[in-house]
Amino acid sequence: MRRFADRGRSRWGTLVAAAGVASLLISGIPTSPAAADIVADIIDVGPEASDVAVNPVTNTVYVTTRDGLTVINGKTQATVKIATGRTPVAVAVNTATNKIYLSLKSDPSAPGSVAIVNGATHAVAKVTVGAAPGELVIDQKTNKIYAGTLDGVSVINGSTNASSIINSGSVSTLAINQVTHRLYTLGGGGLNVIDTSTNAVTRIDLGTNAMPSYLAVNQVTNKVYVAVRARQYAALEVVDGATNQAGGMFSDLNASPTSLSVDEKNNRVYFGRSSLGDGTISSRTGLLAIFDDGGPGRVDIRTGAAPGAIAVNGTTNKVYFEAGYRGTTVVDGKSFALSTLSHPFTGTLAVNEATNKIYASNWQGSVTIIDGNSPTPLKNDFSGDRKTDLLARDASGVLWLYPGNGAAGWLPRTQVGSAWNSMTAVVSPGDFNGDKKPDVLARDGAGHLWMYPGNGAGGWLARVHVGSGWNAITAIVTPGDFNGDGTADILARDTSGTLWLYPGDGRGDWLPRTNLGTGWNALTAIVGSGDFNSDGTPDVLARDGSGVLWLYNGNGTGGWAWDRQKVGEGWNSMTSIVAPGDFNGDGRPDIVARDGSGSLFLYPSASGGAWLPTVRIGQGWNGMTALL
């Protein structure tokens, strides 16, 4: 469902508190790494790109812009511009007839129009409809097109192009069940159910002070979901499509609904909110509630940016939502892990499940193409087997590769270097030079920083000098893509306690550094944890002198999101703390720590910045002088 108006509603006696959902966090089950999502391309399409629709049958993408409709060939990415006269407001595709329908911007005091584009010839026809047409939906089986207007629902016969009006009152949002052929509309502060065979309109009461915001239909279960806002609550209502009986299923205090979508293949509902918490900046966050089978909330995850427009790929069990200036956030439906892809500001999203490509519009005039078919980049997969590994240097300077088995265990170790005891710091930044293989950065006694490019098979290519004067640095931290530009970065603390961001340029070199704050010399360990709090952006864990472990939340653009949070105690017993990535295969970044006896422990992270039970994964590691 696309965005349009922002309204809301609910019946409060039946609602479940958000705190109850938060207590039902799903920890996840270890799975093999899935395919990753990468920004494959950004295509110019014209000014003010807004709505996006996909025809998976022809592998064609349609984007509305201020100057018409841009057609993108999904295979070649070639574009064609179609003039529509007035600016298109929304787009919908009939995959059966290969016709594209566009509601056109018009004067609210006069009849509006819908443009009809032949997908094969690009010929354009127009049909007169009600005033100020907005969102469009298509019943693919009956070949009827429905447009929300100020006058009600305009109905277009797809065969004859004849149009008529259903007098339901002003309509902002529509959704259709193409099995029952019932149309659901929001407008005038309520929900209407329209029997499209008779055009009979049934009004459903959703409670006093309830204002509707978003609408979604599950055709498989014949349920209708309405996101509402009432006073200081964001809530979710469910309507039985057979009986039209409505009931509340979830509410959240001090929040506003921001999006709603249904995954029919996996029978899930996704409900995005913007939460103001207790009103302080540190408590403000985006939230995404995930419901299985329309039942009680299974998980409520913090998302950083409030979830905007949502697109679902039921085939891959992934969810994509608009994250404002950050780009697009991806939610893995199996592990509930989040990742954020940085690209120009996202407006609307559309998924082609046949090609596993996602299209995100940008108001400034482009469409970002996200490819979901690339192998997941793993920070420490030095052996190239798609599992997270660990490197360790012993006292004689030998560097060992300890391959992970993908389930918190080990394969036999192999030697991958010698004479590494000349290095005063060794870290693993991930792919630093842009060849999609993890690398190592090492500082020698003279303060020179060297990159050892990984060859993807447990070995190294010729090392490259990437800096000097690094002997003034007392800690080198590898957070991943900390500034959101798509490349691996480094954090470095100098002798004065200032923490610096050294942005990588994606080719094994640096962009200008920036100051991230002072007073960091009070921390005895600093670790780039990856996205520890599940908001889609990398974070940092740091231990203070008393053994308290703190979470520093990254904001995705090279800074901090809010005040630090305490996430552990007693960590002063650990002689080494490293963050290799996802070591147990559950899709979330983990921490590995060695205690004074030489025992090695895995601290698996859970959704939302918490821990799963600790697991001992080795002994005798006190002979190692570096772990990474």
Side-chain angles (χ1 to χ4, degrees):
M1 193 197 81
R2 302 182 185 90
R3 80 305 71 140
F4 266 85
D6 182 20
R7 300 175 171 85
R9 57 184 124 212
S10 217
R11 58 193 66 233
W12 306 110
T14 60
L15 295 179
V16 179
V21 177
S23 66
L24 294 170
L25 290 176
I26 294 178
S27 61
I29 299 173
T31 58
S32 58
D37 297 275
I38 63 169
V39 174
D41 207 348
I42 299 177
I43 298 177
D44 292 331
V45 294
E48 299 176 15
S50 54
D51 207 10
V52 184
V54 170
N55 187 338
V57 177
T58 61
N59 192 13
T60 309
V61 184
Y62 301 93
V63 188
T64 62
T65 64
R66 188 180 64 200
D67 56 358
L69 178 70
T70 298
V71 183
I72 304 174
N73 184 308
K75 184 176 181 179
T76 66
Q77 298 177 15
T79 62
V80 175
K81 176 67 71 174
I82 298 176
T84 56
R86 292 182 178 270
T87 298
V89 176
V91 58
V93 177
N94 189 328
T95 59
T97 64
N98 194 20
K99 288 184 179 180
I100 303 91
Y101 295 84
L102 304 150
S103 56
L104 302 180
K105 187 174 183 180
S106 61
D107 186 340
S109 63
S113 60
V114 168
I116 305 170
V117 179
N118 185 306
T121 66
H122 294 173
V124 179
K126 291 184 180 179
V127 176
T128 300
V129 295
E135 189 167 353
L136 299 160
V137 295
I138 298 175
D139 189 328
Q140 307 276 343
K141 295 180 180 178
T142 64
N143 194 16
K144 288 184 178 180
I145 300 86
Y146 302 92
T149 76
L150 295 179
D151 301 323
V153 177
S154 285
V155 186
I156 301 173
N157 184 311
S159 299
T160 65
N161 291 348
S163 69
S164 58
I165 287 281
I166 300 174
N167 296 315
S168 60
S170 176
V171 173
S172 62
T173 304
L174 307 88
I176 192 164
N177 186 326
Q178 300 190 58
V179 176
T180 64
H181 305 293
R182 285 190 174 184
L183 182 69
Y184 300 88
T185 71
L186 301 182
L191 171 68
N192 289 322
V193 183
I194 301 174
D195 184 333
T196 59
S197 62
T198 64
N199 290 348
V201 180
T202 301
R203 186 79 166 180
I204 296 182
D205 177 23
L206 294 173
T208 306
N209 299 319
M211 298 181 295
S213 297
Y214 302 94
L215 179 65
V217 172
N218 189 329
Q219 300 175 125
V220 176
T221 62
N222 195 18
K223 291 181 179 179
V224 184
Y225 300 90
V226 185
V228 306
R229 186 179 66 225
R231 295 175 180 166
Q232 71 270 42
Y233 286 88
L236 185 62
E237 295 274 344
V238 59
V239 178
D240 187 311
T243 65
N244 286 344
Q245 293 299 307
M249 58 184 290
F250 175 78
S251 71
D252 192 1
L253 181 64
N254 292 331
S256 294
T258 60
S259 52
L260 179 67
S261 189
V262 165
D263 179 354
E264 292 182 338
K265 289 186 178 179
N266 297 288
N267 201 8
R268 278 188 173 168
V269 182
Y270 294 89
F271 177 34
R273 294 106 65 216
S274 174
S275 174
L276 297 181
D278 59 11
T280 64
I281 292 176
S282 62
S283 69
R284 296 175 186 174
T285 185
L287 296 167
L288 182 67
I290 304 172
F291 302 87
D292 280 345
D293 194 28
R298 292 291 302 278
V299 65
D300 201 15
I301 56 178
R302 186 166 59 188
T303 59
I310 298 176
V312 173
N313 188 333
T315 301
T316 62
N317 196 8
K318 286 188 177 181
V319 178
Y320 304 82
F321 66 79
E322 173 263 317
Y325 66 88
R326 295 181 177 182
T328 299
T329 295
V330 187
V331 182
D332 187 311
K334 293 181 180 179
S335 66
F336 301 107
L338 276 71
S339 59
T340 298
L341 303 175
S342 178
H343 59 82
F345 188 94
T346 307
T348 306
L349 295 158
V351 173
N352 187 337
E353 292 197 24
T355 63
N356 194 16
K357 289 187 177 179
I358 302 87
Y359 300 87
S361 67
N362 168 31
W363 186 253
Q364 294 177 339
S366 64
V367 167
T368 298
I369 301 176
I370 298 170
D371 191 339
N373 300 302
S374 298
T376 307
L378 297 178
K379 180 173 179 282
N380 268 37
D381 178 23
F382 295 102
S383 61
D385 63 355
R386 310 282 304 120
K387 299 176 178 66
T388 296
D389 308 319
L390 202 67
L391 291 174
R393 180 187 64 189
D394 65 23
S396 67
V398 173
L399 192 66
W400 297 93
L401 170 65
Y402 287 81
N405 66 4
W410 307 101
L411 301 177
R413 75 174 186 175
T414 58
Q415 182 176 333
V416 292
S418 58
W420 281 72
N421 47 9
S422 64
M423 298 299 174
T424 59
V426 188
V427 297
S428 53
D431 175 22
F432 190 68
N433 63 359
D435 65 356
K436 303 189 184 305
K437 300 178 181 66
D439 308 312
V440 163
L441 292 175
R443 179 187 62 195
D444 64 23
H448 294 290
L449 194 65
W450 300 90
M451 175 179 65
Y452 288 79
N455 65 6
W460 314 104
L461 304 176
R463 72 177 188 174
V464 180
H465 186 261
V466 294
S468 58
W470 283 73
N471 45 9
I473 300 300
T474 60
I476 302 175
V477 186
T478 55
D481 178 19
F482 193 72
N483 64 358
D485 65 356
T487 62
D489 306 315
I490 299 295
L491 305 183
R493 180 187 62 190
D494 64 22
T495 53
S496 72
T498 299
L499 190 68
W500 299 91
L501 167 64
Y502 285 80
D505 69 352
R507 299 184 298 277
D509 209 342
W510 310 100
L511 301 174
R513 72 176 187 174
T514 58
N515 189 324
L516 292 182
T518 59
W520 286 77
N521 45 10
L523 284 308
T524 59
I526 309 172
V527 180
S529 61
D531 179 20
F532 186 76
N533 63 3
S534 304
D535 68 352
T537 59
D539 307 309
V540 167
L541 291 173
R543 179 187 64 191
D544 65 22
S546 63
V548 173
L549 196 65
W550 298 93
L551 170 65
Y552 291 81
N553 304 278
N555 65 7
T557 59
W560 309 109
W562 48 72
D563 294 340
R564 68 180 187 174
Q565 298 165 276
K566 184 178 178 180
V567 293
E569 295 180 313
W571 283 74
N572 45 9
S573 64
M574 297 300 173
T575 59
S576 181
I577 306 173
V578 296
D582 175 21
F583 190 71
N584 63 359
D586 67 355
R588 291 184 291 270
D590 305 314
I591 297 298
V592 172
R594 179 187 62 192
D595 66 15
S597 72
S599 293
L600 198 66
F601 295 92
L602 172 68
Y603 288 80
S605 68
S607 294
W611 303 100
L612 299 177
T614 306
V615 180
R616 186 197 298 267
I617 57 174
Q619 299 181 72
W621 285 75
N622 45 8
M624 298 298 174
T625 60
L627 298 177
L628 59 148

